[in-house]
Amino acid sequence: MKRVFLFLLTNLAVMLVLGVVLSIIMSALGLSHRSLGGILLIATVFGFGGSFISLFMSKWIAKKSTGAQVITQPRTETEQWLVNTVAAQAKKAGINMPEVAIYDSPEMNAFATGPSKNNSLVAVSTGLLHNMSQDQAEAVLAHEVSHVANGDMVTLTLIQGVVNTFVIFAAKVLAGIVDNFINSDEEEGGSSWTYFLFDMLFQVLFGVLASVVVAHYSRKREFAADNGAAQLVGADKMRSALERLKQNHPSQLEGSMMAFGIASGKGMAELFSSHPPLDARIDALRR
């Protein structure tokens, strides 16, 4: 419930901010909501704006939604090992030291997030620390550091912004065409219920198709992060970590945290999964 409430509150705040910005820009440019220029502006502001605001807030959202506690002063040998390991890997990867955090969850998982390579967070679950060997945990950390070093968070945000813009623009244009056909231009200003109905329907339809594109990119970045981890700590350690994940609990991570975690939820259709099958990742490391 905490995650749901935070998600709704954050999205409401984002929508309000973008709505105010959009109103100011459209008034200044003299654009209407039903003109192609107006629709493109709406699609761009909400498509890219929402993605980039989420990116800039990603560390804060991740900490609040998972309850992750950042290690500021290591209190145990495990915490000291985590900080030292991430520091060494970050130096080797050529990035600034990420914040390191632990969150309470029975699943063996970890995630990376943050607005840039040099302003990031790497978090691991208590389940991973309790159920993986040190070599396996080291490989998982290297996988997350590789995500950061590869700039995957920013690139995924750009891709998400592009597909969001396309979804909104195409949905509104087609909804306007259908609305005009049904109402024969009797209702002006785009206020008819048919316009809003078809706008929502098309956004859902195109949104499903767009998620396939984003998931495809996410899967490719998982292979790249596995390869990066193999270069940082060795392919054997990374393969061992992936083998251990076969006995994992279902992932509780959501959104971008799931996309840049080491493991994803099970049972999703492969087209919509943010992660490739574990066996495919292990085979890729062997090759």
Side-chain angles (χ1 to χ4, degrees):
M1 289 302 297
K2 179 183 177 182
R3 285 200 298 267
V4 171
F5 176 75
L6 186 64
F7 174 80
L8 293 174
L9 185 62
T10 302
N11 278 274
L12 178 61
V14 169
M15 294 293 286
L16 287 173
V17 170
L18 293 179
V20 171
V21 171
L22 183 63
S23 296
I24 294 172
I25 296 175
M26 292 195 76
S27 296
L29 297 177
L31 295 172
S32 74
H33 287 75
R34 290 294 292 270
S35 68
L36 283 178
I39 292 173
L40 181 58
L41 180 61
I42 292 170
T44 303
V45 168
F46 281 99
F48 278 97
S51 295
F52 276 99
I53 290 175
S54 296
L55 176 66
F56 290 127
M57 296 178 64
S58 59
K59 284 172 62 175
W60 180 82
I61 294 173
K63 293 172 189 176
K64 293 297 183 182
S65 62
T66 63
Q69 299 296 312
V70 175
I71 303 172
T72 54
Q73 187 65 42
R75 296 167 297 178
T76 65
E77 289 185 6
T78 298
E79 290 185 354
Q80 187 65 63
W81 176 82
L82 279 173
V83 172
N84 291 344
T85 301
V86 173
Q89 292 176 355
K91 183 177 180 181
K92 191 173 181 180
I95 60 173
N96 287 353
M97 172 70 178
E99 289 186 280
V100 182
I102 299 174
Y103 65 99
D104 187 26
S105 174
E107 63 172 326
M108 292 180 286
N109 214 338
F111 65 86
T113 191
S116 71
K117 293 181 181 182
N118 295 316
N119 182 13
S120 61
L121 168 74
V122 171
V124 297
S125 69
T126 52
L128 182 143
L129 295 175
H130 294 155
N131 294 291
M132 278 192 170
S133 69
Q134 193 170 89
D135 282 350
Q136 291 167 342
E138 182 185 7
V140 170
L141 291 172
H143 175 96
E144 301 308 330
V145 168
S146 293
H147 270 311
V148 176
N150 292 339
D152 289 339
M153 284 82 76
V154 175
T155 310
L156 183 66
T157 298
L158 289 170
I159 291 174
Q160 189 71 64
V162 170
V163 298
N164 286 350
T165 300
F166 169 79
V167 166
I168 297 170
F169 180 77
K172 290 187 178 298
V173 169
L174 289 177
I177 293 172
V178 174
D179 179 52
N180 288 337
F181 177 78
I182 292 175
N183 295 305
S184 300
D185 292 323
E186 291 177 6
E187 298 187 55
E188 299 294 335
S191 60
S192 70
W193 66 268
T194 51
Y195 176 80
F196 289 110
L197 173 63
F198 281 100
D199 184 18
M200 291 299 101
L201 287 176
F202 285 130
Q203 285 201 43
V204 170
L205 174 61
F206 294 144
V208 171
L209 297 176
S211 66
V212 174
V213 176
V214 176
H216 173 74
Y217 168 78
S218 180
R219 291 194 297 273
K220 289 179 63 104
R221 300 321 300 159
E222 285 304 306
F223 285 119
D226 287 345
N227 184 60
Q231 294 179 32
L232 287 173
V233 301
D236 289 341
K237 290 182 180 180
M238 191 64 233
R239 284 199 302 267
S240 177
L242 293 175
E243 290 284 0
R244 186 70 183 91
L245 286 175
K246 290 182 179 181
Q247 288 78 49
N248 201 12
H249 291 268
S251 177
Q252 297 177 10
L253 298 179
E254 300 167 351
S256 62
M257 290 180 291
M258 177 183 284
F260 299 119
I262 184 68
S264 66
K266 298 177 180 179
M268 293 186 294
E270 188 172 343
L271 274 177
F272 297 95
S273 176
S274 62
H275 288 57
L278 288 170
D279 286 334
R281 295 168 66 182
I282 293 168
D283 288 342
L285 284 169
R286 286 199 182 102
R287 293 195 298 272

